[in-house]
Amino acid sequence: MMSNIINNSSLQSNESFDFIFKIVLIGDCSTGKSCIVERFRNGTYNEPQPATVGVDFSIKTVCMHGKTIKLQIWDTAGMERFRTVTQSYYRSANGVIIVYDTTKRATFLNVQKWIDEARRNTGSNVLLFLVGTKCDLEDEREVELSEAEEMRDYIPEIMFVLETSAKENKNIDDVFFCLAEELKKKHDQMAILENAEEDRPVNISESKPISQCALICD
Amino acid sequence: METELCLSLDAENRSEYENFEDEEEIKLFLNETKRRNKCSEIEKFLETDFTEDPDYLNKLRSFSLSEGGLVNDKIRKQVWPKLLGIRPENLEPYPSEIEFESHVEFSQVVLDVNRSIKRFPPGIPYNQRLAMQDQLIRLILRVIMKHPQLQYYQGYHDVAITFLLVVGENMAFHIMEKLSTVHLKHFMEATMEKTAELLDYIFPLMEHVHPELCSYIEKGEVGSMFCLPWFLTWYSHTLNKYENVVRLYDYFLASEPLIPLYLVPVIVIYRQDAIFAVECEMSSLHQELSQLPDNLPFDRLLKEARDLYNKYPPQDIEKEAIMRRVKLKALQEEQINRKNYSNKTTNRSPSRRNWTFMQRIVPDWFFPYGRLGLLIFSASFIVGLYAYYRYANNCDGFNQ
């Protein structure tokens, strides 16, 4: 995980930033992955988005608690056939957003499959977010928020559940801000752990009872 | 090129040409004249009966390959099927609505076609567009129903729509059928593995022409995924301008199936300044490489792709690509091993730390034997201690 977080100093970029995180969006076809990215990146909504062939990339810089965070967003094709060629793009991900369509139950039922996919192809430290889309279409809803929350409670890897609407710009920024915040927290924790490891404190359980005592006599 | 054009202009045009003030205007006029001439030449040729005589086909091919391609869609409609040897009278049984809807890929195709509005001409009436989308769904399904071994992929609809717009549903079906069994057949296999292998050809090709650029891109570990949509859709998914798409299709239909792939390194090399300008890192490189500007000089680039193909044919490049893959795999394994080794030696448990300290002070020749080395070391140490003890005792004896 640590090696995936590239600190500013190691890159010769013109833009300055404090952190850079790699986020990958996965999920069934036509769940709205590209719409989420479009809304977050440009603040626009274009319906319909053409099918993604392979993988699309975009970048967005956000500011949080006085720190500049650069988010690299990889938007993958939902089609199963592309998985063999897109897998290599998950490998160094810091965060994965698994997307389902709240108006199509089948896409929610496939979430488990996508979690397995993320488990197989990413590091153990990756953060998983579950995002439901098209929540403005209340009449067509087929998945309740409570079901997604149940899934979060049941599957420990899922950190967060959020319902969104790219059309009405609902919760889109929150998804990325929350993820960025969590990633930053995780990064800080890891840094503390690393430092702690360096100046290792005395571990009481490792001490042994003294069986012999040397007397110093003059 | 322009001198050639000037020479071909007749006196009448020349006087017209003198009336222009702007250089850009002259260029446009020259291009338009050339286009018109080519158009009437092809139309005249097409008045002769179609034969499968190689000379006839070669002439059609040369029209498609030369500058400007087949000029307009009216000509394309006639020439594209002929380039693939398709007879207009071929008629196929038409599946029923139920057969279409029960096909396993039906909903996937519908999803993709409904999202392909960008590919239709702007300003097309809504009803007409809906009718054409239905035609597109049917023509795609007809191909994969007739050839069950072929698997639909996202991007296939981008190819099909181009033909639907130019030649109409029925002929588009025949063209797609032919292409799917020859040009696009690897993309339609059960997995995309073969496609990924083909994409790797771009690296040996780039290395031959521009080794510095090739190593820059390889150093960034960006891979070849940036050009996947180019290759799978014959560039139609990425290009914005319709006239560029059909121009490329003229060329590809008259060429060997791998010419679209050979165009990739040519475009990348043409855009080298922009690519060298970004930092050598995966995401920045991917972002820059996947750009396909509208103003690329496609006629020139296509010719360069053809030269590249002749100079480094696929059978040679395939071997080089395999060699590179083997080398890369070995390198990756070595890196993993090295990482594992360094993880082991930098493990922070105290006993390990002592062990590495030992390694530093004890000569290396102990360690190849592992525990045996340690045994020999301790044995010789004990013997030495015993010898010293005896010597010390003996000395005491003498003193007494």
Side-chain angles (χ1 to χ4, degrees), chain A residues 11 51 57 72 81 89 198, chain B residues 187 189 225 279 283 348:
Chain A
L11 282 173
F57 172 79
Q72 289 183 354
R81 294 173 53 70
Y89 286 80
E198 287 296 322
Chain B
F187 314 152
E189 287 169 8
M225 224 29 58
E279 86 188 71
S283 57
R348 289 196 167 86

Side-chain angles (χ1 to χ4, degrees), chain A residues 11 13 22 29-30 48-55 57 72 74 77 79 81-82 84-85 89 197-198, chain B residues 108 111 114-115 117 151-154 187-190 192 222 225 228 232 237 279 281-283 286 348:
Chain A
L11 282 173
S13 176
K22 180 174 172 181
C29 280
S30 208
Q49 280 282 338
T52 307
V53 178
V55 58
F57 172 79
Q72 289 183 354
W74 296 85
M79 198 178 199
R81 294 173 53 70
F82 286 114
T84 46
V85 287
Y89 286 80
E197 187 86 345
E198 287 296 322
Chain B
Q108 181 68 56
L111 272 180
N114 287 345
R115 294 192 284 163
I117 294 173
Q151 308 252 333
Y152 169 79
Y153 62 91
Q154 285 181 316
F187 314 152
M188 306 190 78
E189 287 169 8
M192 284 269 168
V222 64
M225 224 29 58
L228 180 75
L232 290 186
H237 183 79
E279 86 188 71
E281 176 268 330
M282 184 193 182
S283 57
H286 180 95
R348 289 196 167 86

Side-chain angles (χ1 to χ4, degrees), chain A residues 35-57:
Chain A
C35 283
I36 293 179
V37 176
E38 172 92 12
R39 172 59 89 183
F40 178 62
R41 192 188 52 190
N42 302 331
T44 52
Y45 174 73
N46 289 313
E47 200 190 22
Q49 280 282 338
T52 307
V53 178
V55 58
D56 281 344
F57 172 79

Side-chain angles (χ1 to χ4, degrees), chain A:
Chain A
M1 164 94 184
M2 290 306 294
S3 61
N4 298 334
I5 299 163
I6 308 154
N7 280 316
N8 196 5
S9 54
S10 65
L11 282 173
Q12 311 154 332
S13 176
N14 297 332
E15 287 174 73
S16 65
F17 53 88
D18 301 298
F19 300 99
I20 182 162
F21 297 121
K22 180 174 172 181
I23 296 170
V24 183
L25 278 93
I26 57 176
D28 277 7
C29 280
S30 208
T31 45
K33 298 180 287 296
S34 303
C35 283
I36 293 179
V37 176
E38 172 92 12
R39 172 59 89 183
F40 178 62
R41 192 188 52 190
N42 302 331
T44 52
Y45 174 73
N46 289 313
E47 200 190 22
Q49 280 282 338
T52 307
V53 178
V55 58
D56 281 344
F57 172 79
S58 45
I59 203 149
K60 173 122 179 172
T61 308
V62 297
C63 280
M64 199 175 274
H65 310 308
K67 298 278 182 200
T68 313
I69 301 171
K70 206 170 188 177
L71 299 175
Q72 289 183 354
I73 305 161
W74 296 85
D75 176 17
T76 64
M79 198 178 199
E80 178 125 18
R81 294 173 53 70
F82 286 114
R83 228 169 292 163
T84 46
V85 287
T86 54
Q87 271 168 358
S88 59
Y89 286 80
Y90 313 175
R91 217 171 291 145
S92 51
N94 304 116
V96 174
I97 299 176
I98 298 173
V99 182
Y100 70 94
D101 179 351
T102 56
T103 68
K104 282 201 184 68
R105 190 151 192 89
T107 65
F108 180 69
L109 297 175
N110 275 337
V111 165
Q112 182 62 54
K113 200 181 73 187
W114 287 107
I115 291 170
D116 295 341
E117 178 75 14
R119 269 185 197 148
R120 263 200 306 275
N121 295 296
T122 59
S124 54
N125 272 316
V126 72
L127 294 187
L128 249 56
F129 269 36
L130 184 60
V131 168
T133 54
K134 309 179 192 177
C135 73
D136 55 292
L137 302 172
E138 200 53 55
D139 297 343
E140 296 170 38
R141 181 184 279 276
E142 287 182 7
V143 184
E144 295 300 325
L145 179 62
S146 57
E147 291 176 273
E149 283 170 344
E150 250 169 58
M151 187 180 259
R152 176 200 57 200
D153 298 340
Y154 188 68
I155 300 170
E157 279 105 323
I158 302 176
M159 184 152 199
F160 219 87
V161 174
L162 215 56
E163 281 192 349
T164 63
S165 162
K167 195 175 182 177
E168 293 181 354
N169 196 11
K170 197 175 153 199
N171 289 346
I172 298 289
D173 288 352
D174 295 355
V175 170
F176 291 94
F177 276 94
C178 280
L179 192 47
E181 174 121 41
E182 291 300 332
L183 286 169
K184 191 184 157 293
K185 250 190 236 166
K186 186 142 195 159
H187 174 260
D188 294 345
Q189 273 172 9
M190 295 290 279
I192 290 167
L193 277 177
E194 279 241 318
N195 288 338
E197 187 86 345
E198 287 296 322
D199 326 309
R200 213 166 151 272
V202 177
N203 195 339
I204 299 195
S205 67
E206 272 179 17
S207 60
K208 286 176 186 138
I210 301 163
S211 55
Q212 280 178 330
C213 186
L215 281 170
I216 302 161
C217 309
D218 283 325

